[in-house]
Amino acid sequence: MTAVITVAPTGPIATKADHPGLPTQPEEIAAAVAEGYAAGAAVAHIHLRDEQDRPTADLDVARRTMDLIRERCPVLIQLSTGVGLDVPFAEREALVELRPRMATLNPCSMSFGTGEFRNPPDGVRRLAARMRELGVKPELEIYDTGHLDACLRLLDEQLLVEPLQFSIVLGVRGGMAATAQNLMTMVDRLPEGAVWQVIAIGRANLRLTAIGLALGGNARAGLEDTLYLRKGEPAPGNAPLVSRAVALAHALDRPVADVGRAEALLGLGEQ
Ligand code: KMH
Ligand code: ZN
């Protein structure tokens, strides 16, 4: 079964002080995405930073970043509406107005490391409805079992369209711990026909990405999720992390999806 690989070059937390190769500016992000695409990624999960490298939902920065990516490669752009812990929900949700093919939808508020990730129920429902209107496919980021139930309620309310696409996020402090057992529990509870991938944060990234692929899930790779290739060895950039995920998929006899195949597998319609 074909695996879709997503490159996640920059997240909301790490800075260039943590990893000098972290892409933060639009040109850097576009270059990292193009390298990830060349290494086998069909989807790019995008967080934006302002000129001071702080997370931002600025629409001009988003537009410029998307344009620069599109100039370089046909990767499917998935904007993060998580953006960063200090960015107000109203700014975050406006990003879908740029009509990326996909965007994340975080269904619940939670503690997130030492901060707070605010996803108020009325805002989540409004964002889900708007994404449906615009034809922007939500990637449902679930960090705990109750988050899956919240998504199923959105489906009942017809705010989501099947096939649902989940990221099972493991290892965020405030969400599920990064254990194989937690992953199995979540996979067992997914609705029939759901598409899913593992997002394994930090040390367990390699192991849980491999388990996810072995179980038939898709995979995500990049500096958003881990700054290391293996213990004590910083990843030289995003492309080596994508290449590692591709190698895992191939070792498990799973071909890697190109953009066309990924569009079909993820149930992306016309916009
Ligand atoms: N880094 C993820 C675990 C999103 O992109 O929508 C959380 C996140 C959410 O960044
Ligand atoms: Zn993200």
Side-chain angles (χ1 to χ4, degrees):
M1 201 174 71
T2 308
V4 178
I5 310 287
T6 293
V7 61
T10 305
I13 309 285
T15 65
K16 282 194 194 285
D18 300 312
H19 191 303
L22 186 80
T24 56
Q25 296 306 303
E27 296 74 14
E28 295 172 343
I29 290 172
V33 167
E35 286 170 23
Y37 170 79
V43 178
H45 170 82
I46 302 297
H47 286 256
L48 308 155
R49 301 285 177 100
D50 65 15
E51 284 173 0
Q52 281 75 47
D53 283 357
R54 291 173 306 214
T56 182
D58 185 283
L59 293 178
D60 289 333
V61 175
R63 240 180 249 113
R64 196 159 78 251
T65 307
M66 291 169 79
D67 287 346
L68 288 168
I69 293 171
R70 288 185 183 124
E71 277 170 21
R72 285 171 170 78
C73 64
V75 76
L76 300 166
I77 296 178
Q78 177 191 89
L79 285 185
S80 165
T81 65
V83 182
L85 301 181
D86 296 326
V87 181
F89 192 88
E91 290 177 30
R92 290 162 41 201
E93 67 183 319
L95 282 166
V96 299
E97 302 303 323
L98 301 184
R99 303 181 65 168
R101 291 303 295 277
M102 284 178 269
T104 56
L105 184 66
N106 293 272
C108 296
S109 294
M110 61 188 287
S111 296
F112 198 104
T114 55
E116 229 179 288
F117 190 23
R118 291 179 208 92
N119 297 292
D122 57 339
V124 170
R125 293 178 73 255
R126 189 172 62 235
L127 177 53
R130 187 64 181 144
M131 288 171 83
R132 185 173 182 171
E133 261 168 30
L134 294 171
V136 177
K137 179 86 181 175
E139 188 191 270
L140 305 161
E141 305 235 342
I142 52 175
Y143 305 74
D144 228 322
T145 53
H147 297 191
L148 171 55
D149 298 299
C151 292
L152 297 179
R153 282 194 291 274
L154 294 176
L155 179 64
D156 281 346
E157 291 178 52
Q158 297 180 356
L159 293 168
L160 298 175
V161 179
E162 292 185 287
L164 300 187
Q165 188 197 331
F166 290 97
S167 281
I168 302 172
V169 188
L170 299 144
V172 169
R173 274 187 296 144
M176 287 176 288
T179 68
Q181 198 172 15
N182 281 339
L183 174 57
M184 284 307 305
T185 302
M186 295 303 283
V187 171
D188 280 347
R189 292 199 55 221
L190 295 180
E192 189 72 32
V195 181
W196 61 278
Q197 69 177 359
V198 168
I199 297 180
I201 305 298
R203 230 167 285 169
N205 179 271
L206 174 59
R207 199 165 44 90
L208 284 167
T209 301
I211 296 172
L213 281 166
L215 292 173
N218 295 318
R220 189 168 107 159
L223 295 174
E224 173 165 353
D225 302 338
T226 179
L227 301 175
Y228 292 88
L229 212 42
R230 56 183 64 81
K231 199 165 184 266
E233 189 185 327
N238 278 285
L241 289 167
V242 174
S243 297
R244 186 178 78 174
V246 169
L248 284 172
H250 286 159
L252 292 162
D253 258 352
R254 299 196 53 195
V256 166
D258 61 15
V259 166
R261 187 86 185 102
E263 280 178 307
L265 289 168
L266 300 174
L268 303 185
E270 296 291 313
Q271 274 187 321

